[in-house]
Amino acid sequence: GTGWAASVEGSPVKIDATGAVVKTYGPRAVHASLATVSPSGSMVAAYTRSGSPGKPTGGITLWDASTGARLAEFERQGLSGTKLMFAPDGRTLYSHENDVVVAWDVPTGASRAVVRAKNMDVPELSPDGDFIAYYSDPELVLHHLGSGKQRRLRTKAYWPDSNPVFFPGGTLLATSSNSHFVVWDLALARPPKE
């Protein structure tokens, strides 16, 4: 609660409660976007892009939040990532790329696809790290990461304005679209964990 991370002029930065930039991660040439902070506050991750304008390459870079030292860089396919999410223990980083959610093992950099869905909107990770929620027209989907089981919740025939948002504690999920705001009771909607 003492500040936040943002991507400013191509670099992820840490901004304190007064709005002052207190740390810059990486050179401006790194072209970083969608910065996020690990739950412990020890790491900053962002999508990064480098290379020549005609042949850019995509990656995900992790920095030490205190020192700004680069900890790791994960090479990925494409340049279209829309969301980064740390698991509660900070050991897994999830990225949303096109219609796939990829799990990255932070210590080793190993990756694997954990969710694939056509027309997947921006996903959200539950506070306990067990579920990913996302829209796949016209359904709201709860995907259990451990078992792969899904619960599909039929929604009205409209596309959401925003990604789903978990309440603290993870038992409620909020969605909105076309002037509708809905709170889902996940005790009733969650698929079994097994």
Side-chain angles (χ1 to χ4, degrees):
T2 59
W4 62 92
S7 297
V8 177
E9 295 181 354
S11 286
V13 297
K14 182 179 179 182
I15 300 170
D16 69 15
T18 69
V21 173
V22 294
K23 181 69 67 182
T24 300
Y25 304 99
R28 292 231 162 123
V30 80
H31 300 292
S33 63
L34 300 170
T36 190
V37 180
S38 66
S40 67
S42 63
M43 291 180 287
V44 173
Y47 285 111
T48 50
R49 188 168 38 93
S50 57
S52 65
K55 289 191 173 184
T57 58
I60 297 171
T61 305
L62 279 71
W63 293 271
D64 182 288
S66 298
T67 67
R70 193 179 76 169
L71 300 174
E73 186 164 356
F74 306 145
E75 186 176 336
R76 62 189 186 79
Q77 300 296 319
L79 301 168
S80 59
T82 60
K83 182 84 181 255
L84 290 171
M85 306 165 283
F86 275 102
D89 65 4
R91 294 182 57 83
T92 304
L93 179 67
Y94 296 96
S95 64
H96 174 228
E97 324 220 352
N98 296 319
D99 289 336
V100 179
V101 175
V102 177
W104 300 86
D105 182 72
V106 170
T108 67
S111 65
R112 63 187 171 86
V114 292
V115 182
R116 292 182 189 273
K118 189 174 181 182
N119 298 322
M120 182 192 300
D121 201 25
V122 179
E124 185 69 20
L125 183 68
S126 64
D128 60 10
D130 287 343
F131 292 89
I132 286 184
Y134 62 91
Y135 278 104
S136 182
D137 189 25
E139 298 170 313
L140 174 65
V141 180
L142 291 174
H143 179 98
H144 185 254
L145 290 165
S147 68
K149 290 193 172 205
Q150 295 182 340
R151 173 79 39 93
R152 295 177 175 274
L153 306 172
R154 194 81 176 157
T155 61
K156 303 284 186 193
Y158 50 73
W159 193 250
D161 291 331
S162 63
N163 55 298
V165 177
F166 283 94
F167 280 67
T171 59
L172 300 174
L173 180 74
T175 62
S176 67
S177 181
N178 293 352
S179 303
H180 292 85
F181 182 78
V182 180
V183 177
W184 302 83
D185 183 345
L186 299 183
L188 303 174
R190 283 184 178 220
K193 290 186 182 181
E194 272 193 6

